[in-house]
């Protein structure tokens, strides 16, 4: 009780004016003013381990007590990246010059020297200051809007490192094992789409997370990038199943070219932003997580293709979670794995080499240097794999110094650890060919892939261990009968035991691929004059019965994965929307209008209903809801004069002879009416394009808010009158109602929203309700202890 009373008194002193801590200055006032940024055990632990160079302990601890700079990354693969960078540097950053907020001078943002092409920046502005300061309102609105469009990610600097070190190419098959919340996944998607002229890269990203609820956050992040090459799945990463693909009529196990293994960790590298870690930090966290981290990493290298690259990373500084896991993995691989030397990659990034010697500490402060020193009653908490290898030759061959540790005070970042592994040959227990089912299922009618139900009992298909490994595994199990479940699964010189796949959370809608002879497709193909090379077999819906209201598209490779793994994989989301059913579309020759979300994927295959517009036409389309044709240029009027009513593509091509105009192409989904022309573009994309063209959009904020208020009222009425309808019905009917309210002949005033925006909001609301109703079960005691992820 005495200690608690002292803590309460200390918190009260901190909460009083002048109580210290710099809460207001740090931009965190009202958040955690009571937390003291001190932890004696933390300081003692890391001082003795010696991960901080001599003479740098003071700056190291001082940096940990300072707030983390805000960092942002510009989406690199898009043609608009250069325009956004230009806008940031020439407009918003210049407005920050000589600016003071709360008596502090705002430092000019600086580019991260090690991130390619000046696409990542950091500033000393905290989130609170950005939100609350009137002088920064324009900048904040820009950041929020561009983030929602997917053009900018507000991501911690060190979190950007692992995807860069994966060296991804567009043809790579990638697995992100612990992907939520998804900032690294977004980077991987960018790399797949490095060439914007290729709508369907050969590669794909399968993004996994154990937490059903966090998977929906992952979906939201991934959907901003509008890629047909991303699939979000929900599994325990330590037992994620082997997937199978069809190769020339027979099934083969899918091995990944690149794997990102960013495991759950204690998160002591995040103290600058998650300051709750200061009071919760204990060595017990890393001891409990070590086994889970090793199992996840082991499962990762099992699924890595020979010659493939896996990046293991944590936002922890602790060698128990870092070098100990890597050393154990290298030892059990018996030469199948090697650490890559990445010292020449990311020039400009300051890093510390991995360490080769460390000790293990219990939460009471007791140290152990070797496994043999651990008393039997502590051997369930401390495992042999937590200690460094004692054999000098083995240790030297591991090259642990090739790991890299980022210390906060070196470049004003968080703390981080990264190791890059190359697979040279199969793992010792994977030498035999894997067992796979050779028979391909027969499908008739619609090709359906139903998301697996909860506890369907399907097993992971594990590659067979050798006989020697089986014997050793059996002996180890006998020795560990008294251990906990966690300790049974680690420390074995073979693969982790198979676990039954547990599926939980919201039951997902099925994925139904359109059959080749589906009559629905013929009018679409004719109306838009689709190229014969259009991959129509990649079209799918999420509706098993009734009218198909939305059509989505995935890449050929992901279609292969979906069709061959429906029984062992819980898919949360995949594909991008390319067409939406329109209530009046059939009378115009096609029941489906184009969706902006998938237009950049679809556009290369469309040969009809394309209207090239000038930059002034684009401005009219984006600032007026339903403008008359007479407002557009004479060239545009001529082009649409003899064109049938319905959905169209509006294309802007930059003119190199007009360098002051926007110098990147724009493709918009539009609708040609009898006397008007409109764009179906979400609000934030409208704002984005207008900014890129130099149109001031900040003044429209009040009108935008009024429009949102009206939209929310429409949604509320819809929810009351149409309860029980599925989300696609709601989308369809709301767009129809707004079309009727606007009317074909009515004059329009500038607004910053559209029917498409309302459609997106309803999808978001529906998805949020799914998240809230999802019941999340933790798969092991380990995951309770730490899910600290960037």
């Amino acid at each position: 009780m005495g200690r608690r009373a002292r803590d309460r008194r200390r918190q009260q002193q901190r909460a009083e004016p002048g109580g210290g801590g710099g809460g207001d200055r740090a931009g965190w006032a009202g958040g955690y003013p009571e937390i003291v940024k001190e932890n004696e055990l933390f300081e003692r632990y890391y001082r003795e381990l010696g991960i901080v160079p001599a003479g740098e302990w003071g700056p190291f601890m001082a940096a940990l007590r300072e707030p983390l700079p805000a960092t942002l990354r510009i989406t690199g693969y898009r043609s608009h990246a250069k325009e956004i960078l230009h806008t940031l540097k020439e407009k918003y950053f210049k407005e920050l010059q000589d600016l003071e907020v709360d008596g502090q001078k705002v430092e000019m943002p600086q580019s991260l020297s090690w991130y390619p092409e000046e696409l990542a920046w950091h500033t000393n502005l905290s989130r609170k200051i950005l939100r609350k300061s009137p002088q920064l309102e324009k900048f904040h609105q820009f950041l929020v809007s561009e983030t929602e469009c997917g053009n900018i990610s507000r991501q911690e600097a060190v979190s950007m490192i692992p995807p860069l070190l994966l060296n991804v190419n567009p043809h790579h098959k990638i697995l992100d094992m612990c992907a939520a919340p998804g900032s690294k996944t977004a980077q991987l998607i960018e790399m797949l789409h490095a060439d914007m002229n290729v709508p369907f890269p050969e590669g794909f990203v399968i993004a996994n997370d154990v937490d059903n609820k966090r998977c929906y956050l992952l979906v939201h992040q991934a959907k901003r990038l509008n890629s047909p090459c991303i699939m979000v799945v929900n599994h325990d990463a330590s037992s994620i199943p082997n997937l199978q693909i069809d190769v020339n009529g027979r099934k083969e196990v899918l091995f990944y070219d690149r794997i990102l293994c960013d495991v759950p960790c204690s998160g002591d590298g995040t103290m600058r932003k998650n300051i709750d870690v200061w009071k919760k930090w204990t060595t017990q966290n890393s001891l409990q997580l070590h086994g889970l981290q090793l199992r996840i990493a082991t499962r990762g290298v099992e699924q890595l293709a020979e010659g493939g690259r896996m990046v293991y990373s944590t936002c922890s500084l602790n060698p128990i979670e870092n070098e100990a896991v890597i050393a154990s993995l290298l030892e059990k691989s018996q030469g199948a794995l090697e650490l890559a030397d990445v010292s020449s990659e990311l020039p400009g990034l300051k890093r510390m080499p991995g360490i080769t010697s460390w000790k293990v500490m219990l939460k009471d402060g007791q140290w152990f240097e070797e496994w043999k020193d651990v008393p039997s009653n502590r051997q369930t908490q401390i495992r042999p794999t937590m200690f460094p290898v004692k054999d000098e030759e083995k240790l030297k061959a591991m090259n642990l110094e090739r790991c890299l540790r980022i210390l906060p005070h070196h470049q004003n970042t968080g703390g981080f650890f990264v190791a890059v592994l190359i697979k040279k040959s199969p793992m010792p227990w994977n030498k035999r060919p894997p067992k796979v089912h050779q028979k391909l299922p027969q499908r008739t009618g619609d090709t359906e892939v139903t998301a697996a139900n909860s506890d369907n009992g399907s097993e992971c298909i594990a590659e067979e261990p050798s006989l020697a490994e089986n014997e050793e595994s059996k002996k180890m199990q006998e020795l560990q009968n008294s251990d906990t479940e966690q300790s049974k699964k680690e420390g074995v010189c073979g693969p982790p035991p198979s676990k039954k796949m547990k599926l939980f959370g919201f039951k997902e809608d099925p994925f139904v691929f359109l059959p080749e002879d589906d009559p629905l497709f013929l009018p679409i193909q004719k109306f838009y004059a689709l190229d014969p090379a259009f991959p129509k077999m990649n079209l799918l819906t999420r509706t098993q019965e009734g009218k198909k209201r939305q059509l989505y598209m995935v890449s050929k490779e992901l279609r292969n994965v979906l069709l061959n793994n429906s029984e062992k994989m819980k898919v949360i989301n995949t594909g991008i929307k390319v067409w939406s059913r329109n209530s009046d579309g059939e009378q115009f020759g096609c029941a489906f209008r184009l969706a902006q979300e998938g237009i950049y994927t679809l556009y290369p295959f469309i040969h009809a209903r394309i209207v090239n517009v000038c930059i002034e036409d684009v401005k009219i389309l984006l600032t007026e809801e339903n403008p008359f044709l007479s407002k557009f240029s004479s060239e545009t009027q001529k082009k649409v004069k003899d064109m049938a009513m319905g959905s169209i593509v509006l294309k802007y091509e930059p003119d190199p002879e007009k360098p002051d105009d926007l110098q990147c192409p724009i493709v918009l989904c539009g609708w040609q009416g009898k006397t008007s022309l409109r764009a179906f573009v979400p609000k934030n994309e409208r704002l984005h394009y207008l900014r890129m063209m130099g149109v001031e959009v900040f003044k429209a904020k009040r009108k935008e808010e009024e429009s949102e208020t009206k939209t929310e009222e429409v949604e509320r009425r819809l929810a009351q009158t149409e309860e029980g309808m599925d989300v696609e019905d709601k989308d369809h009917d709301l767009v129809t109602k707004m079309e009727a309210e606007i009317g074909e002949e009515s004059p329009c005033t500038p607004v910053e929203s559209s029917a498409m925006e309302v459609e997106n909001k309803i999808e978001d609301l529906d998805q949020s309700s799914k998240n809230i109703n999802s019941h999340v079960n933790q798969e092991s005691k380990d995951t309770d202890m730490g899910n600290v992820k960037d």
Side-chain angles (χ1 to χ4, degrees), residues 260-301:
L260 178 56
C261 187
D262 186 51
V263 296
C265 65
S266 62
D268 55 23
T270 70
M271 283 177 157
R272 300 182 68 178
K273 66 173 183 178
N274 300 321
I275 60 175
D276 205 38
V277 176
W278 281 95
K279 66 176 182 179
K280 292 184 176 179
W281 189 91
T282 168
T283 56
Q284 191 69 16
N285 296 344
S286 57
L287 300 182
Q288 290 179 318
L289 283 164
H290 169 87
L292 175 67
Q293 293 162 338
L294 181 54
R295 291 197 299 278
I296 293 174
T298 302
R299 190 71 190 119
V301 294

Side-chain angles (χ1 to χ4, degrees), residues 272-554:
R272 300 182 68 178
K273 66 173 183 178
N274 300 321
I275 60 175
D276 205 38
V277 176
W278 281 95
K279 66 176 182 179
K280 292 184 176 179
W281 189 91
T282 168
T283 56
Q284 191 69 16
N285 296 344
S286 57
L287 300 182
Q288 290 179 318
L289 283 164
H290 169 87
L292 175 67
Q293 293 162 338
L294 181 54
R295 291 197 299 278
I296 293 174
T298 302
R299 190 71 190 119
V301 294
E302 284 179 341
Q303 298 197 320
L304 189 63
E306 289 183 48
R309 175 179 281 218
M310 185 176 94
V311 169
Y312 175 90
S313 61
T314 73
C315 44
S316 167
L317 301 172
N318 201 322
I320 306 301
E321 302 176 61
N322 298 327
E323 284 92 347
V325 172
I326 296 300
S328 178
L329 200 56
L330 290 169
E331 186 173 29
K332 71 165 74 174
S333 80
Q334 298 177 18
L337 300 173
E338 72 172 3
L339 274 170
D341 183 0
V342 293
S343 57
S344 62
E345 298 183 34
L346 306 185
L349 176 66
K350 294 181 182 177
R351 64 198 89 182
M352 295 296 297
I355 60 176
T356 56
S357 176
W358 61 88
K359 300 181 289 183
V360 180
M361 179 195 275
L362 286 172
K363 64 180 179 181
D364 61 5
Q366 186 178 3
W367 285 104
F368 297 100
E369 295 199 18
E370 295 185 56
W371 164 248
K372 65 181 179 61
D373 299 331
V374 180
S376 58
N377 64 335
R378 296 293 191 181
Q379 289 183 5
T380 57
Q381 295 175 337
I382 299 178
R383 304 302 307 148
T385 52
M386 296 177 183
F387 292 89
V389 175
K390 292 300 179 184
D391 186 316
E392 290 297 327
E393 284 190 17
K394 274 188 180 180
L395 189 62
K396 186 177 180 181
M398 286 180 179
N399 297 309
L400 288 179
E401 69 280 354
R402 291 181 178 176
C403 301
L404 56 105
R405 182 178 273 100
I406 310 298
L407 297 181
H409 63 293
H410 283 167
Q411 283 178 301
N412 198 12
T413 64
F416 212 70
F417 175 88
V418 186
V420 182
L421 292 156
I422 305 292
K423 188 172 182 179
K424 299 166 65 179
S425 61
M427 301 301 284
W429 55 89
N430 291 159
K431 293 291 174 80
R432 289 185 178 184
K435 289 182 179 178
V436 296
H437 302 287
Q438 294 296 327
K439 187 178 177 183
L440 290 174
Q442 299 297 315
R443 294 178 174 85
T444 58
D446 282 2
T447 309
E448 180 190 336
V449 182
T450 307
N453 294 329
S454 298
D455 299 318
N456 67 356
S458 60
E459 298 276 355
C460 298
I461 298 179
E463 296 172 336
E464 282 192 55
S466 65
L467 292 175
E469 293 294 346
N470 272 331
E471 287 300 315
E472 185 157 358
S473 179
K474 203 178 281 185
K475 289 178 184 177
M476 290 295 289
Q477 288 288 1
E478 289 171 4
L479 289 171
Q480 296 175 18
N481 281 339
S482 60
D483 287 354
T484 61
E485 184 180 355
Q486 173 192 340
S487 61
K488 287 179 184 178
K489 293 175 184 174
E490 59 189 77
V492 187
C493 295
S498 285
K499 289 176 67 177
K500 273 196 173 185
M501 183 175 65
K502 294 181 180 179
L503 301 178
F504 45 82
F506 185 82
K507 183 178 178 182
E508 297 299 323
D509 294 328
F511 295 85
V512 185
F513 283 94
L514 261 62
E516 196 167 359
D517 57 351
D518 196 313
L520 183 113
F521 181 72
L522 196 59
I524 295 175
Q525 186 177 36
K526 185 177 178 182
F527 190 73
Y528 297 102
L530 294 178
D531 194 284
F534 177 74
K536 61 183 178 181
M537 294 298 287
N538 297 358
L539 289 173
L540 61 86
T541 70
R542 302 297 300 271
T543 308
Q544 215 164 354
E545 298 174 358
K547 274 191 174 182
K548 298 174 176 67
R549 299 202 178 278
Q550 316 284 351
L551 296 182
Y552 302 87
M553 178 166 269
V554 294

Side-chain angles (χ1 to χ4, degrees), residues 57-261:
W57 182 259
F60 168 73
M61 289 303 298
L64 283 179
R65 294 187 174 103
E66 287 296 313
L68 191 68
T71 47
L72 60 90
R73 179 174 54 79
I74 299 169
T75 302
Y77 77 92
R78 295 192 169 176
S79 55
H80 300 179
K82 289 182 180 177
E83 299 291 335
I84 294 172
L85 180 59
H86 178 77
T87 303
L88 269 173
K89 292 168 73 173
E90 299 303 316
K91 178 176 170 57
Y92 293 101
F93 289 169
K94 281 189 175 179
E95 290 177 359
L96 299 179
Q97 285 181 342
D98 304 319
L99 184 65
E100 287 193 7
V101 176
D102 294 341
Q104 276 190 292
K105 189 178 185 303
V106 174
E107 294 177 13
M108 285 297 292
Q110 300 292 321
S111 63
L112 300 181
S113 60
W114 46 268
Y115 201 97
E117 299 179 35
E118 283 192 313
L119 291 177
W121 294 73
H122 71 93
T123 170
N124 68 334
L125 296 170
S126 70
R127 291 199 174 202
K128 182 206 168 188
I129 290 174
L130 276 172
R131 285 196 304 265
K132 301 298 182 185
S133 302
Q135 309 100 302
L136 297 169
E137 193 173 355
K138 284 185 183 181
F139 185 38
H140 183 244
Q141 188 182 337
F142 168 82
L143 291 178
V144 170
S145 179
E146 294 296 331
T147 298
E148 289 181 18
C149 288
N151 297 314
I152 280 177
S153 290
R154 295 162 82 179
Q155 178 182 358
E156 188 178 345
V158 289
S159 171
M160 304 174 192
I161 297 170
L164 291 176
L165 291 178
L166 268 179
N167 290 352
V168 169
N169 290 320
H171 65 276
H172 284 151
K173 299 173 182 66
I174 307 165
L175 173 64
D176 191 348
M177 300 188 76
C178 308
S183 55
K184 299 181 187 71
T185 308
Q187 274 182 276
L188 297 174
I189 297 171
E190 288 177 37
M191 295 170 184
L192 278 184
H193 291 273
D195 185 352
M196 279 293 287
N197 295 318
V198 180
F200 291 101
E202 288 182 30
F204 56 77
V205 177
I206 294 179
N208 173 72
D209 202 83
V210 66
D211 189 324
N212 185 258
K213 191 157 59 174
R214 283 164 63 92
C215 281
Y216 294 104
L217 180 60
L218 183 55
V219 170
H220 174 73
Q221 283 274 49
K223 282 178 80 71
R224 295 181 310 130
L225 297 177
N226 298 334
S227 170
C229 304
I230 170 71
M231 179 189 293
V232 176
V233 299
N234 180 201
H235 290 277
D236 176 358
S238 65
S239 58
I240 192 167
N242 276 5
L243 302 183
Q244 299 168 27
I245 52 175
D246 177 21
V247 181
N248 299 322
R250 61 190 180 87
K251 284 191 176 181
E252 293 185 1
V253 173
L254 170 62
F255 289 99
Y256 300 94
D257 303 299
R258 298 289 185 268
I259 294 180
L260 178 56
C261 187

